[in-house]
Amino acid sequence: MKNIAVLVSGGGTNLQALIDATVAGKIRNGRISIVLSSRRDAYALERARAACIDCCVLEPKDYSGRDNYSKALAQRLLEHKIDLVVLAGFMHILSSEFIKHFENRIINVHPSLIPSFCGDGFYGLRVHEAVLEKGVKLTGATVHFVNEITDGGPIILQKAVPVFADDTAKTLQERVMREAEWQILPEAVSLFCEGRLLVEGGRVIISDAQPGSFGH
Ligand code: GAR
């Protein structure tokens, strides 16, 4: 059974999708061991407590710089023997040391079809505002491994969602979350926990489930 840490900063609807998938038995061979929040007032913490998951607040303002903050996070993850780190609306950049330590073991969900509308400055509602401004007719979500390039790591899963003429950033965000993020994040986490993700030459290969493997 893989130990999963979920890092959050806000509402935690993606965390909720992971909790719901766990309860439904859809995260094969994985359990959420801890939720780490970068904000004391994040609603995601309520969701973790309601699901009886250990949680912990580490606010960047209490640390001098990104390196020290990442070190503090890493220490908590090591204490809990974490196998997989999931960034679910976690709005901070981690140090390169942290990323190297957990290479191909950090998964992020991003609310666009990478490589569009991603990178520095593209997060939360801003992504959807940029999508509407450009007038693209399709957007979506991407789950990828984290490397040192913001939103630039190997792509695991993507799902497209239509953009409608009367969308606001808010209505589009809701559709992208409901129809894409909440589906592909639990699916990618389960694939990782089942040992079915292989990174080769910067791309992710998803292997078939083994006959007779857990859950099949
Ligand atoms: C989600 O839409 C997630 O994709 C996005 O923030 C939102 C968090 O919502 N993440 C990023 O933009 C990271 N680049 P949640 O707290 O309800 O899961």
Side-chain angles (χ1 to χ4, degrees), residues 10-14 88-89 91 108-111 122-124 151 173 177 181:
T13 63
N14 279 288
M91 298 302 181
N108 180 48
V109 59
H110 181 77
F122 283 99
Y123 57 86
D151 302 324
Q173 180 184 51
M177 283 177 155
E181 295 185 46

Side-chain angles (χ1 to χ4, degrees), residues 94-187:
L94 297 159
S95 71
S96 46
E97 198 185 336
F98 182 104
I99 292 168
K100 265 193 213 110
H101 185 89
F102 292 99
E103 193 186 13
N104 295 336
R105 292 193 291 144
I106 311 170
I107 284 178
N108 180 48
V109 59
H110 181 77
S112 77
L113 293 174
I114 290 174
S116 290
F117 307 106
C118 64
D120 292 332
F122 283 99
Y123 57 86
L125 267 185
R126 290 181 186 208
V127 176
H128 306 291
E129 283 161 6
V131 163
L132 292 176
E133 204 168 297
K134 188 67 191 170
V136 296
K137 307 302 179 207
L138 270 183
T139 184
T142 302
V143 178
H144 64 93
F145 282 117
V146 171
N147 67 10
E148 287 192 40
I149 303 160
T150 309
D151 302 324
I155 291 169
I156 303 168
L157 293 173
Q158 292 188 300
K159 190 155 186 249
V161 168
V163 181
F164 298 138
D166 60 352
D167 266 328
T168 62
K170 205 84 191 111
T171 61
L172 186 56
Q173 180 184 51
E174 278 163 20
R175 188 175 317 113
V176 167
M177 283 177 155
R178 195 176 48 250
E179 294 182 13
E181 295 185 46
W182 302 344
Q183 319 279 332
I184 62 175
L185 181 62
E187 193 180 337

Side-chain angles (χ1 to χ4, degrees), residues 36-49:
L36 293 177
S37 175
S38 66
R39 291 183 58 157
R40 199 164 296 282
D41 61 354
Y43 187 69
L45 288 166
E46 301 294 324
R47 299 179 188 273
R49 288 185 195 114

